[in-house]
Amino acid sequence: MSIIKENPLVTDLVGEKTTKLDNRVIFFGECDELSCHIMEIRCMIDDEQIKEELLTIVKELSIIMGEIALGKCKLQEESLVWLKQLIKKYEENNGIITEFVLPGQNLLSSRIHITRCVARRCELTYAKVYDQYKTSLIIFEYLNKLSTLFYDLALRYEK
């Protein structure tokens, strides 16, 4: 008896059989990677307020994955409003940027910029999910704003 599955491309998606090439499965991998990067930078930051904000984002990403997998646990519009307010706070703290920013002037800002890039990739993968399954526009905008947040957060630590 072989321990290899009959079709290694088949996987379970909360009670549904699908392929590992399903855009939702690929999105889960991207979202999981993003969560790991966020938790990594959370470990590198001393500011307790920012640590809590990052933890909230990881929890919101879990809700997003639950919504895609189950159609339940919907991401609320208040989460998007909160994220936009957070971006505004960091933009105000950073001031007006008048020159090109070379990303990653130190280890922490480099890691935050990497997280920004992963957030962008996660958003692009979600675009395929949205196109195929007509899922939530709130998720789309939330993911779009995450890369902006990480840009602003990286600038804070470039200084």
Side-chain angles (χ1 to χ4, degrees), residues 24 27-28 31-32 34-35 56-76 79-80 83 122 126 129 135-144 146:
R24 296 171 298 176
F27 173 71
F28 294 150
C31 206
D32 189 32
L34 177 57
S35 294
T56 298
I57 291 167
V58 170
K59 289 176 181 178
E60 299 287 12
L61 291 172
S62 293
I63 290 170
I64 288 170
M65 288 191 286
E67 183 171 343
I68 300 304
L70 302 169
K72 299 176 184 176
C73 313
K74 305 268 187 207
L75 183 71
Q76 300 299 312
S79 298
L80 180 58
L83 186 61
C122 190
Y126 181 74
V129 172
T135 49
S136 168
L137 278 172
I138 293 173
I139 292 173
F140 216 145
E141 189 166 355
Y142 188 90
L143 293 171
N144 175 268
L146 272 183

Side-chain angles (χ1 to χ4, degrees), residues 15-32:
E16 171 189 344
K17 294 282 186 199
T18 190
T19 173
K20 292 185 186 229
L21 301 174
D22 185 313
N23 287 322
R24 296 171 298 176
V25 174
I26 296 167
F27 173 71
F28 294 150
E30 300 286 352
C31 206
D32 189 32

Side-chain angles (χ1 to χ4, degrees), residues 112-141:
I112 298 170
H113 278 294
I114 290 167
T115 304
R116 172 184 56 82
C117 293
V118 173
R120 183 173 292 129
R121 190 173 69 231
C122 190
E123 176 196 0
L124 294 174
T125 303
Y126 181 74
K128 294 175 185 175
V129 172
Y130 177 81
D131 185 53
Q132 185 174 358
Y133 296 99
K134 305 303 178 228
T135 49
S136 168
L137 278 172
I138 293 173
I139 292 173
F140 216 145
E141 189 166 355

Side-chain angles (χ1 to χ4, degrees), residues 11 39 59 81 85-87 107 113-114 117 143 150 155:
T11 191
M39 293 306 285
K59 289 176 181 178
V81 170
Q85 290 170 342
L86 199 55
I87 291 167
L107 181 59
H113 278 294
I114 290 167
C117 293
L143 293 171
F150 290 118
L155 288 181

